[in-house]
Every structure is written in structure tokens, then in C-alpha cells.
Amino acid sequence: MDPVTLRTDRLLLSAPEPADAGDVVAYANDPDVIAYTPVPVPYGHAEARHWITEVVGTGWHADTRYEFGIRRAEDHRLLGTIGLFGFVDGAAEIGYAMHPDGRGHGFVTEAARAVLDWAFAAPPQGLGLVRVQWRAIATNTPSAAIAQRVGLRYEGRMRSGVSHRGQRHDQLLAAALREDDRTSPTVWPAP
């Protein structure tokens, strides 16, 4: 598939390009991104270029990963990314990361709503998926808050469910189905 561009009131969501390498390096080196995502450490321009061309570019071309850069509509600066990956039998996983400059403005929530709408829309306007799931280390409360705000339903906690940077962590799982009402935040158990 050719890369798709999505628009919201404040954002432009489009595939990261080689010119975005510096912005990718900036957010990939943020301590919170390192703490919760599998980005390589250290992460420099070579890693960013590889990710943009080999992971993002190949993913769109092979229909295995659809990654969007989260950009402010006013200046198109890439502040983070959100993507769908792990496609199996009409289902996929959603993941996102944001530079500190973009946090606290609701950008990821806005982007996630747009990507979920596209994921569930019938072709050719969307992918026609039936399920989109989210997983994260249980202590990643900002990511969980976004998943909850966009209407993903809590499905469980896998004890010691993921290994990250040499340590085992509990992992949370949530998902939305195409027919779910995602207009209101869902109720999740206390951490």
C-alpha cells in the first residue's frame, strides 16, 4: 500500500521520511521512550535512517506495518509516531511514542482516535480490521491513560509478561473491536 495521510483538527499524520531523522533521534533518546519501548540504545541518525527506510518504508510497501508521524498541522514538525503492526486475521496492535515537547497537549489521543477510525473503516477508506490491541509495561501509566481515553477496553494484566532491557515486567493488555463504542473513556481497574 502507498502511505496514507490522515488529518485531524490539529495534526497531520503521515509516514516518517528521511528528513525526519533528526526528530526521530530526539524522541528516541528521551528517557521515557527508552524506559518503555524497545528502541536501540544508543540511538543515532543511522538507526533513525534504518527505521525510516527499512522498517517504515518496507512496512507500508509490504502491508506489514503502517507507521504515521504525528505532526502539528501548523508546522509539520514530527513530534512522535503512532503505528499499526502485528497483523493477524483481521487484527493488529497499536503503539505510539511522543517527544516531550508534544506531551500534555492531547496529540497522541487525537492521533490514536484517527488511526483507530482508519483501521476499522471498511476498505477502500480504511483497513476493515475487527480488533486493535494495545500492550504496555504496567508502569507506563501515560500510555495506559491514552489507551483508556480512546476507548480501548482493559483485558488483563500478564504477570511478568514482557522482558525489557534485561528485566521482567508485568504487561497490560487492552483492545477495541470495530463494533465497540469508543466515544467515552473506558473503566479500568486501579493500578
Side-chain angles (χ1 to χ4, degrees):
M1 171 186 301
D2 289 333
V4 171
T5 298
L6 304 174
R7 289 177 174 77
T8 70
D9 290 341
R10 301 180 300 159
L11 302 174
L12 175 72
L13 306 175
S14 61
E17 301 173 350
D20 296 318
D23 290 331
V24 172
V25 170
Y27 84 73
N29 282 295
D30 174 67
D32 288 334
V33 172
I34 292 168
Y36 296 118
T37 70
V39 295
V41 176
Y43 195 99
H45 285 274
E47 288 78 13
R49 285 189 300 273
H50 171 79
W51 182 76
I52 290 167
T53 59
E54 299 303 317
V55 177
V56 174
T58 300
W60 277 100
H61 180 72
D63 293 320
T64 57
R65 181 180 196 106
Y66 303 125
E67 198 74 38
F68 296 90
I70 301 172
R71 306 169 192 280
R72 286 187 300 229
E74 63 199 41
D75 61 9
H76 294 194
R77 176 182 170 210
L78 186 134
L79 291 171
T81 52
I82 185 166
L84 295 169
F85 50 91
F87 292 90
V88 178
D89 298 328
E93 184 168 336
I94 191 168
Y96 35 81
M98 178 62 73
H99 187 279
D101 290 352
R103 294 180 191 149
H105 304 285
F107 292 149
V108 178
T109 300
E110 192 172 323
R113 285 187 176 122
V115 170
L116 288 168
D117 288 347
W118 177 71
F120 290 130
Q125 288 78 26
L127 300 176
L129 296 180
V130 295
R131 174 185 168 89
V132 175
Q133 74 176 24
W134 162 93
R135 296 179 299 146
I137 293 172
T139 55
N140 190 347
T141 54
S143 184
I146 292 163
Q148 187 175 6
R149 274 195 300 274
V150 300
L152 275 67
R153 295 183 186 182
Y154 180 85
E155 293 187 339
R157 180 186 197 107
M158 295 182 285
R159 295 175 301 137
S160 199
V162 64
S163 177
H164 181 67
R165 310 225 184 269
Q167 294 185 351
R168 301 294 308 182
H169 301 272
D170 286 2
Q171 184 176 58
L172 301 181
L173 176 66
L177 304 181
R178 180 174 42 214
E179 64 270 11
D180 287 348
D181 176 5
R182 293 181 288 110
T183 58
S184 301
T186 55
V187 177
W188 288 29

